[in-house]
Amino acid sequence: MDNLKKDLRETADTAEAEKEITAAPDLGKFKDVQTLLKAYSDLEAEFTRRSQRLKELEHGNKAETEPDGAEASPSRQDELLKRALSDDKVRDAVIGEYLKGVAEGKGVTLLSGGGGVSAPRAVPKSVKEAGKLASEFLKN
């Protein structure tokens, strides 16, 4: 009988210790360890899928870029132009950069060197010509 009582006490102590161990960790929003493990495995699978997708996208970007020093083919340039024009943000950025360059004086120079061009001075030679110039001036 003593052995039986001793075994029951040991079993009860072991059960209490197991309860304390399983109850000890704070699982947050998860009700038990099994739910936590399932959520972790789901998260791990989603992380793997996203990592693979990111790798595919990075590989696609590397394939699209031209090697250093190589110019894009005319068809590639046309495609890029169509894509840039279809995107309002890109188009506005390009126009903004152009206008900024024009405002800073980096625009096309219309006249360079020398002074401005002036028209010959019209000096009346008689009173009649002076009256004619004055009447034209007042009409306009």
Side-chain angles (χ1 to χ4, degrees):
M1 263 308 211
D2 288 334
N3 281 342
L4 183 61
K5 286 182 181 179
K6 185 179 179 184
D7 287 341
L8 286 175
R9 269 188 266 136
E10 286 178 10
T11 307
D13 290 341
T14 307
E16 283 183 16
E18 286 178 0
K19 282 182 184 176
E20 287 177 14
I21 291 172
T22 57
D26 181 24
L27 300 177
K29 66 180 184 178
F30 302 103
K31 61 182 177 182
D32 59 3
V33 176
Q34 295 302 324
T35 310
L36 176 64
L37 287 174
K38 183 181 181 324
Y40 178 78
S41 63
D42 292 345
L43 181 64
E44 187 177 30
E46 180 64 25
F47 179 76
T48 303
R49 279 193 296 275
R50 287 187 183 213
S51 296
Q52 289 171 346
R53 177 73 177 135
L54 178 63
K55 196 171 193 176
E56 289 172 5
L57 291 173
E58 286 175 348
H59 181 67
N61 273 346
K62 287 180 183 176
E64 284 182 11
T65 57
E66 301 293 328
D68 290 343
E71 290 189 19
S73 65
S75 63
R76 176 88 171 123
Q77 288 176 343
D78 292 341
E79 177 189 341
L80 289 173
L81 180 62
K82 285 179 187 176
R83 287 176 60 191
L85 289 175
S86 67
D87 189 353
D88 292 339
K89 241 178 152 178
V90 173
R91 187 179 59 232
D92 291 345
V94 170
I95 291 172
E97 284 295 320
Y98 170 75
L99 292 176
K100 184 178 168 187
V102 169
E104 291 177 356
K106 296 180 182 176
V108 177
T109 306
L110 299 176
L111 293 174
S112 63
V117 178
S118 61
R121 194 168 160 195
V123 179
K125 295 186 173 135
S126 66
V127 175
K128 188 176 181 182
E129 285 181 19
K132 189 176 176 183
L133 281 174
S135 66
E136 287 178 20
F137 177 74
L138 292 174
K139 287 180 186 176
N140 291 333

